[in-house]
Amino acid sequence: MKITGFENNIPESEITPKSVYLDRRKFMQQAVASSLLLSVDVMLPAWAKQWPDLKSSPYSTADSVNSFEDITTYNNFYEFGTGKKDPYKNATQFNPKPWSIKVEGECEKPGTFDLEDFINPATLEERIYRLRCVEGWSMVIPWVGFSLADMLKKFEPHSKAKYVEFTTLLDKSRMPGQQRRVLRWPYVEALRIDEAMNELPIMAVGLYGDILPNQNGAPIRLVVPWKYGFKSIKSIVKIRFTEKQPQTTWNQTSAKEYGFYSNVNPTVDHPRWSQKKERVIGLPFWKPKRDTEMFNGYSKQVAHLYKGMDLKKHF
Ligand SMILES: Nc1nc2c(c(=O)[nH]1)N[C@H]1C(S)=C(S)[C@@H](COP(=O)(O)O)O[C@H]1N2
Ligand SMILES: [Mo]
């Protein structure tokens, strides 16, 4: 029997072999170099062909990536439950199509746009970033996305636009976690405009070469690699340019624990968790923790944004 709404789901049997994706990708590249493309092409499953010509980004970390299983079964996405496995279990029926994004506030070209208007396969890149969660763990994810700055410039922000705010879908029938008041819905996040215009943040529409799994924020989410994971808001439906600093969900929930900036900083502890080290998801429990790096390793690209600021006060 065919159940409607499930057509877009990838069968379990196609998900598991994704852990070998990177090896296969390397093999593909070698094969292309030796013009064996045709024979290799026949071997590739459908999922590997979503965006076959992804450029790799110079900002990618060289650290080894987590498995597809780690990345898609250990998530924070409270719209689908508060447990780490809840989004994997509860987001399977979520259908992120059709999808549109409203752009409003201090800009010359506001409007409502289809997701397709944002995705230009020619500008998509693979960016491998380490996601550092404030809870004290991290993992490395091969995102597919495009520059946030390039996207924002198209709306021609006014000089009054000092911040940019992002909002997740509000729909408690499609996002059952919103039936519980664990957070004030919808989830909202924001960046200062100069942070948003930095070269590092991306809008991600995929990972491991394929479209974004629901539990990772389908169909489109933010990724800001020098900030704690919660700034990287999922399933975005609205972008707003503002003059005043927006209220953000976690800051509103507990201002003492979650500051507006939320830069990865091993010298400023969260009241409940040290930020000096992080547990790398996927490693055996007896392996030592990893030292957390200032700005998650991106000081060169972002330290200048905070010149003269007391980062203990503006955490
Ligand atoms: N809408 C929304 N976005 C969200 C969250 C959430 O609960 N809701 N959780 C955040 C947190 S705390 C983290 S660590 C990352 C996790 O992203 P991942 O599941 O793709 O690894 O998503 C962030 N974005
Ligand atoms: Mo997080």
Side-chain angles (χ1 to χ4, degrees), residues 77-230:
F77 198 174
Y78 280 17
E79 284 83 342
F80 293 102
T82 53
K84 291 286 179 285
K85 286 215 175 296
D86 288 349
Y88 165 71
K89 287 186 275 184
N90 300 336
T92 51
Q93 294 182 56
F94 180 70
N95 182 6
K97 286 177 194 169
W99 195 269
S100 61
I101 301 175
K102 204 170 166 190
V103 179
E104 58 182 43
E106 295 291 344
C107 67
E108 204 52 36
K109 301 216 159 112
T112 302
F113 305 89
D114 288 336
L115 176 69
E116 288 69 32
D117 298 334
F118 287 88
I119 304 176
N120 172 2
T123 62
L124 284 182
E125 293 179 1
E126 179 169 78
R127 293 229 196 167
I128 305 173
Y129 281 156
R130 177 177 294 279
L131 182 139
R132 171 59 162 82
C133 180
V134 73
E135 295 162 343
W137 52 267
S138 72
M139 60 175 125
V140 179
I141 303 174
W143 300 110
V144 178
F146 51 88
S147 158
L148 172 68
D150 289 350
M151 184 196 84
L152 293 179
K153 281 174 200 156
K154 293 192 179 127
F155 307 112
E156 300 178 14
H158 296 153
S159 57
K160 265 185 165 178
K162 303 279 191 268
Y163 296 89
V164 55
E165 177 197 79
F166 303 84
T167 306
T168 294
L169 176 70
L170 176 64
D171 186 338
K172 61 181 173 208
S173 62
R174 294 165 74 195
M175 295 183 148
Q178 290 177 341
Q179 286 160 22
R180 292 178 50 212
R181 290 163 65 180
V182 287
L183 292 177
R184 198 184 294 183
W185 310 111
Y187 195 102
V188 174
E189 259 311 331
L191 299 171
R192 222 170 53 191
I193 196 81
D194 58 342
E195 299 179 314
M197 292 300 180
N198 183 273
E199 64 265 43
L200 294 179
I202 54 168
M203 295 293 280
V205 294
L207 58 84
Y208 264 114
D210 201 355
I211 58 168
L212 215 50
N214 289 339
Q215 58 269 44
N216 294 90
I220 187 163
R221 57 93 56 88
L222 182 66
V223 180
V224 190
W226 74 93
K227 293 179 182 279
Y228 292 115
F230 66 88

